[in-house]
Amino acid sequence: MAAIGILNLHKRRNAVDRIYRERLTLTNLRDTDIESRYRLDRESIVYLMRLIGGDIRKSGRGRSIDPETQVLVTLRYMAKGDFYSETGDVHGVSRSSVCRIIHNVVTSINKRLHNIRFPRTNEDILHTKVMFQRSCGLPNCLGAVDGTLVPIIAPKQNEEAFVSRTGCHALNVQAVADADMRFTDVVCRWTGASHDEMVFDNCGLKEHLEATNIGYLLGDSGYPLKPFLMTPYLHPGSPAEERFNKAHKRGRVVVERSFGVLKARFRCLSKSGGCLPFAPEKSANIILCCFKLHNLCLERGLPLPDISSDNDDSQTPGEFINECGRGGIQRRNELTQLFSR
């Protein structure tokens, strides 16, 4: 017994006291610093904390990490694309805690925040069409569709399928944006080698538009011409067709600008922020969360960030001359007639 007591005393003398680092809070940050570091303003962060607080509440044991710190850690990573160690050092948590926090918070936001909605009611459909017609002159348009590449770390399985045309491993994310740069539909489960046309052809939105005939989307020439998907003339042969192409470009550019704003806001999605160091499934969850936070920023009127010139990563358009159905040609001709005067 004496020997055991001496051994325990020796362990206590050689034990290293646990060091608790100071953690940032919203109360000791200026408003400008909050928006610069986390991309959201103070009120929006508080809103998120209330929205998901029940999912990520602290355990009550020792120095467990409070919901505010968890939200700040996640937003900081998505805004800057930092290494875990740097994000942890800023907020006084360990590298392993950062990894766990990010996925818990992202999962909760995706579960609780529902602000990516394609117009379904008559009121929403009419509003979307009116806003697009004001911006580009094309009636009955419900949005602009395109794909963007988000770099990820090379997956352990089926690696070659994720290699994009740029040579990096990525997910090809399809999104539809309205005239206000709000994302109304997002698909982020396809590999970087997947072509935009194939992604659209296998999404639920295509089936919905085809079945309901409520309007159409604008897409580049990488998509086939359909009654519900208008593409530009590859070789315009009249002034009316040229004017249609210009109007089409004014309408479609909104989705490219939306991607630019998204990646400028959340650098973890941009190649300037490296790549998402997660498996494809977890990367897709983070991507979806960033899209939802982008919409939240628009809803709350936060200023748009400067768009850098390194966001042009969409696939090179191809020519789908043989996939232009009669219905698509007829609808485009009818729209072109609006520009014949």
Side-chain angles (χ1 to χ4, degrees):
M1 292 295 294
I4 294 175
I6 294 173
L7 179 60
N8 290 335
L9 178 63
H10 179 72
K11 288 183 178 179
R12 287 196 298 271
R13 287 176 177 174
N14 287 277
V16 178
D17 292 334
R18 190 171 183 179
I19 299 175
Y20 296 108
R21 290 174 285 181
E22 184 179 358
R23 293 173 180 169
L24 280 178
T25 63
L26 290 176
T27 56
N28 55 26
L29 287 172
R30 298 177 300 176
D31 290 342
T32 55
D33 291 335
I34 291 174
E35 292 186 24
S36 173
R37 294 184 182 195
Y38 305 106
R39 297 296 188 259
L40 273 66
D41 61 358
R42 189 186 305 273
E43 290 74 18
S44 299
I45 295 176
V46 172
Y47 166 77
L48 279 182
M49 290 163 49
R50 292 173 178 170
L51 182 68
I52 68 174
D55 298 332
I56 61 172
R57 64 167 59 94
K58 61 190 299 184
S59 65
R61 297 179 300 172
R63 283 270 296 181
S64 59
I65 303 172
D66 59 275
E68 179 177 333
T69 299
Q70 294 184 53
V71 172
L72 293 181
V73 165
T74 304
L75 292 177
R76 170 72 181 194
Y77 172 76
M78 292 193 292
K80 302 294 185 179
D82 290 338
F83 293 106
Y84 285 170
S85 56
E86 294 181 3
T87 303
D89 289 344
V90 169
H91 297 89
V93 299
S94 67
R95 182 182 183 279
S96 59
S97 294
V98 171
C99 181
R100 183 178 66 256
I101 287 170
I102 289 174
H103 293 298
N104 288 343
V105 172
V106 164
T107 298
S108 183
I109 291 176
N110 286 339
K111 176 182 177 182
R112 303 291 181 183
L113 186 60
H114 306 288
N115 62 357
I116 299 178
R117 297 181 295 270
F118 195 77
R120 302 276 178 162
T121 66
N122 291 335
E123 182 180 359
D124 290 341
I125 291 172
L126 178 61
H127 174 76
T128 302
K129 291 180 177 180
V130 168
M131 296 305 293
F132 253 101
Q133 186 163 7
R134 289 177 181 175
S135 67
C136 66
L138 289 170
N140 297 320
C141 180
L142 292 169
V145 62
D146 203 358
T148 188
L149 298 173
V150 177
I152 65 171
I153 196 171
K156 296 180 179 180
Q157 297 180 349
N158 201 19
E159 177 183 348
E160 293 183 357
F162 290 87
V163 179
S164 68
R165 66 174 183 84
T166 63
C168 69
H169 296 85
L171 290 177
N172 186 8
V173 183
Q174 175 188 280
V176 175
D178 65 16
D180 298 320
M181 293 196 298
R182 176 187 176 90
F183 291 109
T184 59
D185 189 78
V186 178
V187 179
C188 52
R189 65 174 184 270
W190 292 92
T191 65
S194 304
H195 195 277
D196 289 350
E197 185 271 340
M198 189 274 291
V199 176
F200 181 79
D201 196 51
N202 289 274
C203 73
L205 180 59
K206 180 236 182 184
E207 297 179 358
H208 172 68
L209 293 173
E210 192 173 22
T212 58
N213 194 30
I214 58 174
Y216 58 87
L217 303 177
L218 302 178
D220 61 31
S221 55
Y223 295 96
L225 177 64
K226 301 288 184 181
F228 48 84
L229 181 57
M230 291 290 101
T231 61
Y233 289 95
L234 294 174
H235 307 289
S238 68
E241 292 179 359
E242 292 177 356
R243 287 192 286 269
F244 171 85
N245 275 7
K246 290 180 180 179
H248 185 283
K249 184 177 181 180
R250 288 197 304 270
R252 191 181 62 81
V253 74
V254 68
V255 69
E256 296 178 355
R257 292 188 61 224
S258 301
F259 284 144
V261 170
L262 173 75
K263 292 188 176 184
R265 219 169 225 149
F266 303 108
R267 288 289 177 182
C268 70
L269 304 184
S270 171
K271 58 187 177 184
S272 63
C275 69
L276 292 175
F278 314 108
E281 295 79 9
K282 289 186 176 181
S283 295
N285 286 334
I286 290 178
I287 294 168
L288 179 60
C289 183
C290 289
F291 274 88
K292 291 187 173 186
L293 293 178
H294 166 88
N295 281 0
L296 181 64
C297 290
L298 294 181
E299 293 168 6
R300 294 182 168 267
L302 298 183
L304 300 178
D306 293 331
I307 303 177
S308 62
S309 60
D310 64 349
N311 289 313
D312 185 17
D313 55 5
S314 58
Q315 298 199 21
T316 304
E319 296 189 6
F320 285 87
I321 299 175
N322 295 328
E323 298 193 32
C324 299
R326 290 184 178 180
I329 294 175
Q330 180 179 354
R331 171 163 284 188
R332 188 170 66 179
N333 288 340
E334 292 172 354
L335 292 171
T336 303
Q337 290 299 314
L338 300 175
F339 300 93
S340 61
R341 296 182 292 274

